[in-house]
Amino acid sequence: MNSSSVTLLASGNSLGAYIPAMHLNTYLQDRGVRTDVHVLENLYHEEIRCKINSTKKAFHADFSVALMGHKLAKPVDSSLNEAEVQFLLDSWIRDGVSHFAVFTGFWLPILERYKAIAHTPLDIQLIRLDVCDTPSFKVHKSLYPDYENVWLYEPSRLSPDFYIASDEKELLAYAQRDRRILIHGGGWGIGTYASTIAELRQFGYLLDVIVYDPSEVEEDDGSTRYFGTEVSWNPWSRDAQGRHSFPPMNRYVREEGILREIPLRDYSAYTDLMRNCVAIISKPGGATLNDSLSYGIPFVMLEPFGDHELQNSKYWESCGFGIRFAEWKALDYSEQHLEEMYERLLEQRSKINHLGRKTHAAENSSYV
């Protein structure tokens, strides 16, 4: 295999472990690095994979159900199709795969098997997008200390070390941005995000709302815009070229009860929305922290999903990059407060590197 190659191990179960991997994939490819993306769910038994969407719907419908499911997280070994796992391991051996960027801890048992049979030294980086263990790493506490853990946000330091985006564009100046706020519930559309829409609309903010399902789109009011992932898409499917891709995004407009779907040209059209907004409102998932830092977006944080998101929230607040929604509401939804957070994000972003620089440097060095 060409030495200029990185294998990215992601998960489609959560877009928080998929979208950052796709950003890194794009960044590396643009710099001439060969990449290969694998999504864990492609190794599942088909009947297990088919249940994922119904679980998502249940979590979206009731946040308390989502919180309970989070607490019951366990290793995915029983979900894996052994024939698919063996086929993947054989292909890695055949191709001499040696450099990995790993976005979920559920890959660790498979990597343990590969380490035992690989014929070449391996460089395996565990990309940690949260300030503490997520469930996928927590269930493998006995394994991950033996790997290189690359923390974007080192808990002991009040300054993030890396960000991940498809490029290294400079942040858009705050004064040049539209006075729009982006609201979403993460890849599963969970949390308390929907309840913020009406009050922010009454306060005069222009809103871009990412819906989980098109049925959530309200009648066009001339100021609130609705977007969402194409319903038929899922992260473990491949495109016509056999590659994983960013989710196709639509803008939705409902007029006189009739819903129109307007496809965005590509995923960069969605990231342009993020670059241009004055704040993002969501639960404090690690991928959204990354969006906040990558695009310089003040983060108004909703109720966290699990302990790792609680720690994320505390960390982002201590950095001065975010504020809890209730506190921002008490400040009368102050835009000045948002701009102060933007200035701190701008300063921090100017001091740090894209994670791809570290990955690219490691890929061009001797493996250890």
Side-chain angles (χ1 to χ4, degrees):
M1 185 183 69
N2 188 322
S3 63
S4 180
S5 179
V6 178
T7 297
L8 298 99
L9 303 182
S11 168
N13 191 41
S14 162
L15 289 184
Y18 181 83
I19 296 297
M22 295 307 301
H23 279 311
L24 182 58
N25 181 62
T26 301
Y27 179 90
L28 292 173
Q29 286 188 342
D30 286 349
R31 282 148 186 81
V33 180
R34 287 179 54 200
T35 61
D36 194 13
V37 177
H38 291 282
V39 175
L40 184 65
E41 284 74 15
N42 281 321
L43 304 181
Y44 283 11
H45 293 289
E46 185 175 359
E47 61 270 21
I48 299 294
R49 195 164 52 240
C50 290
K51 292 179 181 178
I52 293 175
N53 286 334
S54 60
T55 303
K56 285 184 178 182
K57 288 179 181 178
F59 281 19
H60 171 72
D62 190 333
F63 192 43
S64 65
V65 173
L67 289 170
M68 181 59 67
H70 162 83
K71 292 176 181 178
L72 298 176
K74 59 184 180 180
V76 299
D77 304 53
S78 62
S79 300
L80 298 175
N81 182 323
E82 175 57 26
E84 294 291 343
V85 174
Q86 192 60 56
F87 181 83
L88 180 62
L89 293 173
D90 290 344
S91 71
W92 287 350
I93 289 290
R94 182 184 64 247
D95 296 336
V97 176
S98 57
H99 187 192
F100 296 86
V102 186
F103 287 81
T104 172
F106 288 137
W107 276 100
L108 283 168
I110 296 170
L111 287 167
E112 286 289 296
R113 291 176 59 177
Y114 186 57
K115 283 166 60 178
I117 60 175
H119 305 311
T120 182
L122 305 180
D123 185 314
I124 303 173
Q125 298 177 2
L126 307 184
I127 311 303
R128 309 298 291 273
L129 293 162
D130 298 79
V131 303
C132 64
D133 287 348
T134 56
S136 75
F137 286 102
K138 188 176 290 185
V139 298
H140 294 300
K141 271 185 174 291
S142 62
L143 298 178
Y144 72 67
D146 293 333
Y147 292 79
E148 180 185 2
N149 288 259
V150 181
W151 295 88
L152 271 67
Y153 322 115
E154 182 61 51
S156 62
R157 296 174 51 208
L158 294 184
S159 55
D161 292 316
F162 301 103
Y163 70 96
I164 307 174
S166 291
D167 53 52
E168 294 182 277
K169 286 184 182 178
E170 294 185 2
L171 304 185
L172 184 65
Y174 198 79
Q176 295 177 2
R177 300 185 181 198
D178 293 339
R179 193 174 177 264
R180 303 192 74 88
I181 291 177
L182 182 70
I183 302 176
H184 70 72
W188 285 42
I190 59 177
T192 54
Y193 69 100
S195 64
T196 68
I197 295 172
E199 49 190 298
L200 287 172
R201 187 186 287 146
Q202 290 177 355
F203 203 79
Y205 275 109
L206 305 175
L207 306 179
D208 286 340
V209 181
I210 311 302
V211 297
Y212 175 78
D213 187 273
S215 63
E216 300 168 28
V217 176
E218 298 180 10
E219 190 75 13
D220 184 36
D221 62 3
S223 61
T224 305
R225 303 188 304 193
Y226 294 90
F227 301 87
T229 300
E230 171 59 46
V231 175
S232 62
W233 178 85
N234 64 65
W236 46 88
S237 294
R238 297 177 184 266
D239 63 18
Q241 289 73 44
R243 298 172 300 198
H244 290 289
S245 61
F246 284 105
M249 301 288 290
N250 294 326
R251 181 179 175 190
Y252 297 109
V253 180
R254 190 183 298 279
E255 294 176 308
E256 298 182 354
I258 299 173
L259 183 69
R260 288 190 295 131
E261 297 183 5
I262 307 166
L264 301 188
R265 67 179 186 278
D266 54 31
Y267 196 76
S268 67
Y270 173 62
T271 58
D272 285 345
L273 290 180
M274 289 195 285
R275 292 182 197 280
N276 202 28
C277 68
V278 295
I280 190 166
I281 296 178
S282 183
K283 63 186 188 62
T288 309
L289 299 190
N290 178 63
D291 288 340
S292 173
L293 184 60
S294 297
Y295 307 114
I297 315 172
F299 191 177
V300 180
M301 297 174 290
L302 301 174
E303 183 180 347
F305 176 54
D307 184 64
H308 65 287
E309 290 197 358
L310 174 62
Q311 299 308 316
N312 286 347
S313 177
K314 291 178 178 178
Y315 178 80
W316 221 240
E317 199 170 18
S318 65
C319 290
F321 304 153
I323 186 172
R324 284 172 289 171
F325 184 84
E327 290 193 7
W328 188 51
K329 182 176 181 179
L331 293 169
D332 292 328
Y333 311 104
S334 163
E335 189 164 355
Q336 178 183 342
H337 205 78
L338 298 179
E339 188 165 2
E340 290 170 357
M341 287 188 280
Y342 164 81
E343 293 296 335
R344 287 188 285 270
L345 285 160
L346 177 64
E347 179 183 7
Q348 183 62 29
R349 190 61 162 67
S350 69
K351 297 176 181 177
I352 62 176
N353 285 326
H354 192 294
L355 179 72
R357 289 181 176 238
K358 173 180 173 61
T359 306
H360 195 191
E363 169 270 321
N364 280 311
S365 66
S366 299
Y367 293 116
V368 296

